[in-house]
Amino acid sequence: MPIVAQSTETADWVSRFADDVIEESERRAPGKPVVVASGLSPSGPIHLGNLREVMTPHLVADEVRRRGHQVRHLISWDDYDRYRKVPAGVPGVDESWAEHIGKPLTSVPAPKGSAYPNWAEHFKAAMTESLAELGVEFDGISQTAQYTSGAYREQVLHAMKHRGDIDAILAQYRTKKAPAKKQQQKPVDEAELEAAEGSGAASEDDGSSTAGYFPYKPYCGNCEKDLTTVTSYDDDTTELSYTCTACGFTETVRLTEFNRGKLVWKVDWPMRWAYEGVIFEPSGVDHSSPGSSFQVGGQIVGIFDGKQPIGPMYAFVGISGMAKMSSSRGGVPTPGDALKIMEPQILRWLYARRRPNQSFKIAFDQEIQRLYDEWDKLVGKVAGGTSQASSTGGGSALPGDVAAYTRAVGTAAGELPKTPRPMPYRTLASVADITAGHEDQALRILSELDPEQPLASLAEVRPRYDKAEAWINHHVPADQRTIVRDEPDTDLLKSLDEPSQQSVRLLLDGLAEHWSLDGLTHLVYGVPKVQAGFPADATPKELPPEIKTAQRTFFALLYHLLVGRDTGPRLPTLLLAVGQERVRALLGE
């Protein structure tokens, strides 16, 4: 893969961050691999908003790799977080899961029918599969494994020893009044904050209690829940006593040998920065507020002799047709859902072409067709250079667009698998719609799109064809699906006036000669022109405005005669799909 040049006036956001990260890594840890990090909480379906938590550092890490540096992209699976609530709409889960609230995610049963041993592993698996398809290389770290193995023992003891210092930092924000709200471009509500929250743990308590401040929270030895209160701690013996408010259980343990608990979130996160030597980690919009995890962590990390990473704030990711996206709500699209209807290059491109602080939407509705058109146009510009782009009136691709394209199609390890013959998505969707799963019919139609270069098999248009078919089958409402008539609409045919009959006859007379995608496009647009006394190849500038009206009327007539509706797939594609013999029958020949 080509190496994207270091930052210039026209460099993209990824290159600029890579510059900063390389410089900072050489200052902090010369000669060591660059460490970037993400945090994901498998508390439910990991959605497309959470994916920004991964894609932002992934793209930066990949650029650093392209420049010849060693990089570790850590994904901390926050699977030792508490189970906070039962997410809506998860198959195999009912209200009985509420009894597990307060337990570690790895101690909660997986949804019924799952092949995985617990709740966390069930949701981690789907995300891991999606990241592999997206070409994301990472080192996964289970926080359950880290805490229960005692890997963080020295850090836990250090935090407890310096609990007074940590408490003093947190106290600055507990008493600080929130500043007057600045006017924002759009409202930020609870759902948006949750969607943008990387770890899913920022709302946890900070360790304060009536018995004093303790940054460590045990899970109960009886009920396994974290509804515990530390009542005392001895620095010399490391004896810690706690009471469980859920079941009344009390216990005294030694932290030098006790592994069933974790640091509270606002201490846990900066501890990990220091422990792993993280140079770069993004955070959600909630971290821009006073007292937020990222801001407070920037001070607490010094207690562990570490430094805060470079950390851009990332903005909200929306879905076309959905106002908000939150993992606590049912039906929230995940990366796996997106990858069913779009190739990984397209999904990577959506995250690469927008700066982290820019919000954007991912299309599950008709917009996906326009998105693919835009992508194909960019591919043409990049592949053909200025001359090809200029011939279509599109101009040349801007440097930032070329960089986003390069990051979308592959990584430092090489290009992602791609569709050998990427036909237009909207054409493939129309064919999949009309043929309703009949692959032999789909191959026939697609072969007739370009008779000079017919397809040998559907493998040439896969996986794009499969993605378009999945979109048609799962995201297009039934009343918008295309059902070709079985019999001619004889009543409509009999009612046609002379001009309408003539337009149908002109179409039928030209079918055989124009039976290809380009030919039929020329024919259906040309019929109204010829009827009005103009050449079939006359350009819009040479025609009066009434011709557009006549074309729309003619198209509507054909749709009614073929599929019984005012609209449908593009007519050239529809005609090819129906087949010449059947078209003639339905048009009354």
Side-chain angles (χ1 to χ4, degrees), residues 520-533:
L520 289 173
T521 301
H522 178 78
L523 179 62
V524 296
Y525 280 90
V527 165
K529 300 177 190 177
V530 171
Q531 275 192 287

Side-chain angles (χ1 to χ4, degrees), residues 13-37:
W13 67 266
V14 180
S15 291
R16 289 193 292 271
F17 274 123
D19 290 344
D20 295 342
V21 167
I22 291 170
E23 182 181 349
E24 189 65 20
S25 184
E26 289 175 348
R27 182 162 49 245
R28 294 188 194 181
K32 294 185 178 180
V34 178
V35 179
V36 306

Side-chain angles (χ1 to χ4, degrees), residues 49-62:
N50 302 135
L51 181 60
R52 203 164 204 182
E53 170 81 19
V54 176
M55 289 305 298
T56 303
H58 161 69
L59 292 165
V60 173
D62 188 64

Side-chain angles (χ1 to χ4, degrees), residues 509-524:
D509 289 345
L511 280 183
E513 180 185 351
H514 295 88
W515 197 253
S516 69
L517 186 63
D518 289 342
L520 289 173
T521 301
H522 178 78
L523 179 62
V524 296

Side-chain angles (χ1 to χ4, degrees), residues 68-146:
H69 298 269
Q70 285 190 308
V71 187
R72 291 185 70 208
H73 180 181
L74 309 179
I75 292 185
S76 280
W77 298 107
D78 289 320
D79 52 13
Y80 209 44
D81 283 0
R82 73 190 306 268
Y83 184 57
R84 288 191 266 168
K85 54 188 171 184
V86 183
V90 175
V93 176
D94 55 38
E95 63 276 2
S96 67
W97 261 259
E99 69 182 69
H100 301 292
I101 290 174
K103 294 180 182 179
L105 293 170
T106 41
S107 295
V108 178
K112 294 174 184 175
S114 172
Y116 296 95
N118 58 60
W119 186 272
E121 291 302 318
H122 176 83
F123 292 105
K124 283 165 63 175
M127 187 63 167
T128 299
E129 183 179 344
S130 295
L131 293 178
E133 189 173 349
L134 286 164
V136 176
E137 179 184 329
F138 68 92
D139 294 338
I141 299 175
S142 164
Q143 292 306 310
T144 296
Q146 291 292 95

Side-chain angles (χ1 to χ4, degrees), residues 187-203:
V188 176
D189 64 15
E190 185 177 352
E192 180 166 336
L193 293 179
E194 184 167 357
E197 170 60 41
S199 72
S203 62

Side-chain angles (χ1 to χ4, degrees), residues 167 170-171 174 205-215 217 229 264:
D167 188 32
L170 294 172
R174 293 192 196 111
D205 67 59
D206 65 6
S208 301
S209 74
T210 54
Y213 177 76
F214 302 101
K217 202 166 186 63
T229 300
V264 296

